[in-house]
Coordinates of all heavy atoms in Angstrom, one line a residue:
V1 N -13.2 -3.9 9.9 CA -12.5 -2.8 10.5 C -13.2 -1.5 10.0 O -13.9 -1.5 9.0 CB -11.0 -2.7 10.3 CG1 -10.4 -4.0 10.8 CG2 -10.7 -2.5 8.8
Q2 N -12.9 -0.4 10.6 CA -13.5 0.9 10.1 C -12.5 1.5 9.1 O -11.3 1.4 9.2 CB -13.6 1.9 11.3 CG -14.6 1.5 12.4 CD -14.6 2.5 13.5 OE1 -13.6 3.0 13.9 NE2 -15.9 2.8 14.0
P3 N -13.1 2.3 8.1 CA -12.3 3.1 7.3 C -11.6 4.2 8.1 O -12.2 4.8 9.0 CB -13.3 3.7 6.3 CG -14.6 3.6 7.0 CD -14.5 2.4 7.9
T4 N -10.3 4.4 7.9 CA -9.5 5.1 8.8 C -8.7 6.2 8.0 O -8.1 6.0 7.0 CB -8.5 4.2 9.6 OG1 -9.3 3.3 10.4 CG2 -7.6 5.0 10.5
V5 N -8.8 7.4 8.6 CA -8.0 8.6 8.1 C -7.1 9.1 9.2 O -7.5 9.3 10.3 CB -8.9 9.7 7.7 CG1 -8.1 10.9 7.1 CG2 -10.0 9.2 6.7
V6 N -5.8 9.2 8.9 CA -4.8 9.7 9.9 C -4.1 10.9 9.3 O -4.1 11.1 8.1 CB -3.8 8.6 10.3 CG1 -4.6 7.3 10.7 CG2 -2.9 8.3 9.1
A7 N -3.5 11.7 10.2 CA -2.7 12.8 9.8 C -1.6 13.1 10.8 O -1.5 12.3 11.8 CB -3.6 14.1 9.8
G8 N -0.6 13.9 10.4 CA 0.5 14.2 11.3 C 1.7 13.4 11.2 O 2.6 13.5 12.1
L9 N 1.7 12.5 10.2 CA 2.9 11.6 10.1 C 4.0 12.2 9.1 O 3.5 12.9 8.1 CB 2.5 10.2 9.6 CG 1.6 9.4 10.5 CD1 1.2 8.1 9.7 CD2 2.3 9.0 11.7
P10 N 5.2 12.2 9.4 CA 6.3 12.8 8.5 C 6.3 12.0 7.2 O 5.9 10.8 7.1 CB 7.5 12.6 9.3 CG 7.3 11.5 10.3 CD 5.8 11.5 10.6
E11 N 6.9 12.7 6.2 CA 6.9 12.1 4.9 C 7.6 10.8 4.8 O 7.2 9.8 4.0 CB 7.5 13.1 3.9 CG 7.4 12.7 2.5 CD 5.9 12.8 1.9 OE1 5.3 13.9 2.3 OE2 5.5 11.9 1.2
D12 N 8.6 10.6 5.6 CA 9.4 9.4 5.6 C 9.0 8.3 6.5 O 9.7 7.3 6.8 CB 10.9 9.7 5.8 CG 11.2 10.3 7.2 OD1 10.1 10.6 7.9 OD2 12.3 10.5 7.6
H13 N 7.8 8.5 7.1 CA 7.3 7.4 8.1 C 6.9 6.2 7.4 O 6.5 6.2 6.2 CB 6.1 8.0 8.8 CG 5.7 7.2 10.0 ND1 4.9 6.0 9.9 CD2 6.0 7.4 11.3 CE1 4.8 5.5 11.1 NE2 5.4 6.3 12.0
P14 N 7.2 5.0 7.9 CA 6.8 3.7 7.2 C 5.4 3.7 6.8 O 5.1 3.0 5.7 CB 7.2 2.7 8.3 CG 8.2 3.3 9.2 CD 7.9 4.8 9.2
L15 N 4.5 4.2 7.6 CA 3.1 4.2 7.1 C 2.8 5.0 5.9 O 1.8 4.9 5.2 CB 2.1 4.6 8.3 CG 2.2 3.7 9.6 CD1 1.3 4.3 10.6 CD2 1.7 2.3 9.2
M16 N 3.7 5.9 5.6 CA 3.6 6.7 4.4 C 4.3 6.0 3.2 O 4.1 6.4 2.1 CB 4.2 8.1 4.6 CG 3.4 9.1 5.5 SD 1.9 9.7 4.8 CE 2.6 10.7 3.4
K17 N 5.1 5.0 3.5 CA 5.9 4.4 2.5 C 5.5 3.0 2.1 O 5.6 2.6 1.0 CB 7.4 4.4 3.0 CG 8.0 5.7 3.2 CD 8.1 6.5 1.8 CE 8.9 7.8 2.0 NZ 8.9 8.5 0.8
H18 N 5.0 2.2 3.1 CA 4.8 0.8 2.9 C 3.3 0.6 2.4 O 2.4 1.2 3.0 CB 5.1 0.0 4.1 CG 6.5 0.1 4.5 ND1 6.9 -0.2 5.8 CD2 7.6 0.4 3.9 CE1 8.2 0.0 5.9 NE2 8.6 0.4 4.7
E19 N 3.2 -0.3 1.5 CA 1.8 -0.7 1.1 C 1.2 -1.6 2.2 O 1.7 -2.6 2.6 CB 1.8 -1.5 -0.2 CG 0.4 -1.8 -0.7 CD 0.5 -2.7 -2.0 OE1 1.3 -3.6 -2.1 OE2 -0.4 -2.4 -2.9
L20 N 0.0 -1.2 2.7 CA -0.6 -1.8 3.8 C -1.7 -2.8 3.4 O -2.0 -3.7 4.1 CB -1.1 -0.8 4.8 CG -0.1 0.2 5.3 CD1 -0.8 1.2 6.2 CD2 1.0 -0.5 6.1
F21 N -2.4 -2.4 2.3 CA -3.6 -3.2 1.8 C -4.7 -3.3 2.8 O -5.3 -4.3 3.0 CB -3.1 -4.6 1.4 CG -3.4 -4.9 -0.1 CD1 -2.9 -4.1 -1.1 CD2 -4.1 -6.0 -0.4 CE1 -3.2 -4.3 -2.4 CE2 -4.4 -6.3 -1.7 CZ -4.0 -5.5 -2.7
V22 N -4.9 -2.2 3.5 CA -6.1 -2.1 4.4 C -6.7 -0.7 4.2 O -6.0 0.2 3.7 CB -5.6 -2.3 5.9 CG1 -5.1 -3.7 6.1 CG2 -4.5 -1.3 6.3
P23 N -7.8 -0.4 4.8 CA -8.5 0.9 4.6 C -7.9 2.0 5.5 O -8.4 2.4 6.6 CB -9.9 0.7 4.9 CG -9.9 -0.5 5.9 CD -8.7 -1.3 5.5
F24 N -6.7 2.5 5.2 CA -5.9 3.3 6.0 C -5.3 4.5 5.1 O -4.5 4.2 4.3 CB -4.7 2.5 6.6 CG -4.0 3.2 7.7 CD1 -4.3 3.0 9.0 CD2 -2.9 4.1 7.4 CE1 -3.6 3.6 10.0 CE2 -2.1 4.6 8.4 CZ -2.5 4.4 9.7
L25 N -5.9 5.7 5.3 CA -5.5 6.8 4.5 C -4.7 7.9 5.3 O -5.1 8.3 6.3 CB -6.8 7.4 3.9 CG -6.7 8.7 3.1 CD1 -5.9 8.4 1.7 CD2 -8.0 9.4 2.8
C26 N -3.5 8.2 4.7 CA -2.7 9.2 5.4 C -2.8 10.5 4.7 O -2.7 10.6 3.4 CB -1.2 8.8 5.3 SG -0.8 7.2 6.1
M27 N -3.1 11.5 5.5 CA -3.4 12.9 4.9 C -2.3 13.9 5.4 O -1.8 13.9 6.5 CB -4.7 13.4 5.5 CG -5.1 14.8 5.0 SD -6.7 15.3 5.6 CE -6.8 17.0 4.9
Q28 N -1.8 14.7 4.4 CA -0.9 15.8 4.6 C -1.2 17.0 3.8 O -2.0 16.9 2.9 CB 0.5 15.4 4.2 CG 1.2 14.3 5.0 CD 2.7 14.1 4.7 OE1 3.1 14.5 3.7 NE2 3.4 13.4 5.6
S29 N -0.7 18.1 4.2 CA -1.0 19.4 3.5 C 0.2 19.8 2.7 O 1.3 19.4 3.0 CB -1.5 20.5 4.5 OG -0.4 20.8 5.4
F30 N 0.0 20.8 1.8 CA 1.2 21.3 1.0 C 0.8 22.8 0.7 O -0.4 23.2 0.7 CB 1.3 20.5 -0.2 CG 0.3 20.6 -1.3 CD1 0.3 21.6 -2.3 CD2 -0.8 19.7 -1.3 CE1 -0.7 21.7 -3.2 CE2 -1.8 19.8 -2.2 CZ -1.7 20.8 -3.2
R31 N 1.8 23.6 0.2 CA 1.6 25.0 -0.1 C 1.8 25.2 -1.6 O 1.3 26.3 -2.1 CB 2.5 25.8 0.8 CG 2.1 25.8 2.2 CD 2.9 26.8 3.1 NE 2.5 26.8 4.4 CZ 1.4 27.5 4.9 NH1 0.7 28.3 4.2 NH2 1.2 27.5 6.2
A32 N 2.6 24.4 -2.3 CA 2.8 24.6 -3.7 C 2.6 23.3 -4.4 O 3.1 22.2 -3.9 CB 4.2 25.2 -3.9
L33 N 2.0 23.4 -5.6 CA 1.7 22.1 -6.4 C 3.0 21.4 -6.7 O 3.0 20.1 -6.7 CB 0.9 22.5 -7.7 CG 0.5 21.3 -8.5 CD1 -0.3 20.2 -7.7 CD2 -0.3 21.7 -9.7
D34 N 4.0 22.1 -7.1 CA 5.3 21.3 -7.5 C 5.8 20.6 -6.3 O 6.3 19.4 -6.4 CB 6.4 22.3 -7.9 CG 6.1 22.9 -9.3 OD1 5.3 22.3 -10.0 OD2 6.7 24.0 -9.6
E35 N 5.7 21.1 -5.1 CA 6.1 20.4 -3.8 C 5.2 19.2 -3.7 O 5.7 18.1 -3.4 CB 5.9 21.4 -2.7 CG 6.0 20.7 -1.3 CD 5.2 21.5 -0.3 OE1 4.9 22.6 -0.4 OE2 5.0 20.9 0.8
A36 N 3.9 19.3 -3.9 CA 3.0 18.1 -3.8 C 3.4 17.0 -4.7 O 3.4 15.8 -4.3 CB 1.6 18.6 -3.9
V37 N 3.6 17.4 -6.0 CA 4.0 16.4 -7.0 C 5.3 15.7 -6.6 O 5.4 14.4 -6.7 CB 4.1 17.0 -8.4 CG1 4.6 16.0 -9.4 CG2 2.7 17.5 -8.8
T38 N 6.2 16.5 -6.1 CA 7.5 15.9 -5.7 C 7.3 14.9 -4.5 O 7.9 13.8 -4.6 CB 8.5 17.0 -5.3 OG1 8.8 17.8 -6.4 CG2 9.8 16.4 -4.8
R39 N 6.5 15.3 -3.6 CA 6.3 14.4 -2.4 C 5.5 13.2 -2.8 O 5.7 12.1 -2.4 CB 5.6 15.2 -1.3 CG 6.5 16.2 -0.6 CD 5.8 17.2 0.1 NE 4.9 16.7 1.2 CZ 4.0 17.4 1.9 NH1 3.9 18.8 1.6 NH2 3.3 16.9 2.8
A40 N 4.5 13.3 -3.7 CA 3.7 12.2 -4.2 C 4.6 11.2 -4.9 O 4.4 10.0 -4.8 CB 2.6 12.7 -5.1

C-alpha cells in the first residue's frame, strides 16, 4: 500500500483514536502548545 497522510478528521474520530498498524498518518493544526499537548 502507499504511505498515506489524511487531514480534516475531528479529534474524537475513530481513526484518530484506534491503533491501525498501517501507514496512515492523521494531521491536524493547533494554535497554542498547551492545547496541542492536551490533544496529544
Side-chain angles (χ1 to χ4, degrees):
V1 303
Q2 292 179 323
T4 297
V5 181
V6 306
L9 295 173
E11 191 69 45
D12 60 354
H13 193 279
L15 296 175
M16 290 287 294
K17 295 296 183 185
H18 299 159
E19 184 181 42
L20 303 176
F21 237 55
V22 297
F24 191 94
L25 177 66
C26 298
M27 180 178 176
Q28 290 191 344
S29 65
F30 69 90
R31 293 187 179 275
L33 181 55
D34 287 343
E35 167 205 345
V37 172
T38 298
R39 287 160 63 187

